[in-house]
Amino acid sequence: MSVVRKIEEASQILTALGMDAERSNERSAQTLLALLHLKSDDTWADSANPMLGTRAIMDWIRDEYGRSYAANTRETIRRFTLHQFADAFLIQQNPDQPTRPVNSPKWNYQVTSEALTVVQAFGTPDFDSVLSEYLTRKPGLKAQYATARARNRIPVTLPGGKPFTLSPGGQNVLIKQVVEEFCPQFTPGAEVLYVGDADAKWALFEAERLAEFGVAIDQHGKMPDLVVYLPDKDWIVLVEVASSHGPVDAKRHGELAALFKGATPGLVYISCFPDRREMRKYLHRIAWETEVWCAEDPTHLIHFNGERFLGPYS
């Protein structure tokens, strides 16, 4: 079977599964074929469902279908094909390690066993009945997988007791510690105005409240990982966990100062690390007039020189 025909049939399958025009186009069809490890001369019954990362998907498309995507296309495939495949329950993410951090190079995708059964039936007399059964069961299957994903999220208790969750792994483990250990210790009564998350950067964003303090955020701005307001001091505390942008160094201090330049409260800058060993890697970069907090010693702060301790500077 020709390459063109195989891509056309993959597109037909995606349409039958309820995908829109972009998720049924050539790029998405080739992505499906790569996820199935299906060559142009294979039958649909030969479809498999290995776990593949985005780079492996692009390599398969290049090697088997002669389409070379530029390296910067990887994000397009992730954002405009794979994310929607996952939302539609066509694929699952990291079945081998559901708690894998979003920014891990081992992040992978796998066609679900239920969707694989439908694909393998394409071109046979049973396809319509298998497809119909799958579409009937799909809402329940999506809910089942969504529940499993939700179990792996990191629960966070915000000041005031409000529950919140973050995606698993990576810097979010430290963000949870900052919210639940640093804030009660050093900013009691603080109000959380922003929390960043690797899989949904604007996970919690109190835009109207920030606007009351003279802060108008352009969502393309480089936000810190956490923003809290301390009402009794009238401070806005900007927190960076070192695993994201690194600590608050001179460059980052300037970026945050510019981003929050309209703020009427004073600004306090905090770099957070899991421990002092990790801090030592960045020690030469940490800006003066900032604070450092290490989760291994949650009741202590390290003060980087200045005329006052834990406070804003004019």
Side-chain angles (χ1 to χ4, degrees):
M1 182 181 291
S2 73
V3 167
V4 173
R5 177 68 183 280
K6 204 69 166 190
I7 293 172
E8 288 176 349
E9 290 188 348
S11 180
Q12 291 171 25
I13 291 172
L14 289 168
T15 300
L17 289 169
M19 296 293 173
D20 62 13
E22 183 161 2
R23 261 50 64 176
S24 303
N25 65 12
E26 181 176 331
R27 180 195 69 239
S28 295
Q30 290 172 337
T31 300
L32 175 63
L33 290 165
L35 286 163
L36 297 168
H37 256 214
L38 204 67
K39 300 179 181 179
S40 60
D41 55 355
D42 288 339
T43 68
W44 286 101
D46 295 323
S47 298
N49 60 343
M51 292 180 291
L52 299 176
T54 312
R55 182 70 263 173
I57 290 170
M58 294 169 68
D59 289 346
W60 181 271
I61 294 171
R62 180 198 62 212
D63 296 343
E64 300 299 334
Y65 288 90
R67 176 70 162 86
S68 294
Y69 286 102
N72 58 7
T73 311
R74 188 182 309 186
E75 187 63 19
T76 300
I77 291 174
R78 274 199 297 256
R79 290 181 58 199
F80 299 107
T81 293
L82 291 168
H83 284 187
Q84 289 78 10
F85 280 8
D87 288 344
F89 185 61
L90 174 57
I91 61 175
Q92 56 184 323
Q93 304 177 79
N94 302 300
D96 60 327
Q97 186 183 332
T99 58
R100 180 169 285 130
V102 174
N103 54 2
S104 169
K106 295 182 179 180
W107 192 273
N108 65 71
Y109 307 88
Q110 181 184 49
V111 173
T112 63
S113 58
E114 294 84 357
L116 181 64
T117 300
V118 177
V119 170
Q120 290 174 331
F122 185 76
T124 72
D126 296 329
F127 178 70
D128 287 343
S129 61
V130 172
L131 174 66
S132 178
E133 181 183 357
Y134 170 78
L135 293 175
T136 299
R137 295 178 58 211
K138 183 176 169 182
L141 292 170
K142 286 179 68 175
Q144 173 186 325
Y145 273 68
T147 300
R149 285 197 302 270
R151 281 199 298 266
N152 292 315
R153 291 184 66 83
I154 299 172
V156 180
T157 302
L158 297 174
K162 180 181 178 182
F164 184 71
T165 64
L166 294 166
S167 59
Q171 68 186 41
N172 289 344
V173 175
L174 185 51
I175 289 177
K176 171 182 171 69
Q177 292 176 293
V178 174
V179 172
E180 296 183 345
E181 297 181 50
F182 170 84
C183 287
Q185 179 73 31
F186 295 104
T187 60
E191 177 183 354
V192 176
L193 303 180
Y194 172 85
V195 180
D197 191 350
D199 74 345
K201 182 168 177 61
W202 305 83
L204 186 154
F205 179 36
E206 302 291 349
E208 292 183 4
R209 188 73 171 125
L210 278 165
E212 293 175 13
F213 301 127
V215 180
I217 298 294
D218 175 359
Q219 292 201 4
H220 296 290
K222 296 180 179 179
M223 287 290 285
D225 296 302
L226 186 73
V227 179
V228 300
Y229 174 65
L230 191 56
D232 63 337
K233 301 284 190 180
D234 194 29
W235 295 349
I236 288 179
V237 180
L238 308 178
V239 178
E240 286 282 20
V241 299
S243 56
S244 57
H245 297 100
V248 181
D249 57 13
K251 179 176 182 293
R252 189 68 176 127
H253 189 285
E255 290 173 347
L256 292 174
L259 192 62
F260 286 81
K261 64 183 179 182
T264 51
L267 300 178
V268 178
Y269 303 83
I270 312 283
S271 298
C272 295
F273 300 91
D275 50 50
R276 281 181 285 178
R277 176 174 296 181
E278 185 68 16
M279 181 193 72
R280 281 197 291 269
K281 298 177 184 178
Y282 300 93
L283 198 58
H284 63 291
R285 293 175 48 191
I286 297 170
W288 296 115
E289 283 75 53
T290 68
E291 319 292 332
V292 170
W293 180 80
C294 296
E296 71 172 354
D297 297 302
T299 61
H300 294 75
L301 273 180
I302 300 170
H303 180 58
F304 273 70
N305 196 28
E307 62 193 36
R308 61 179 59 84
F309 180 71
L310 186 60
Y313 292 81
S314 59

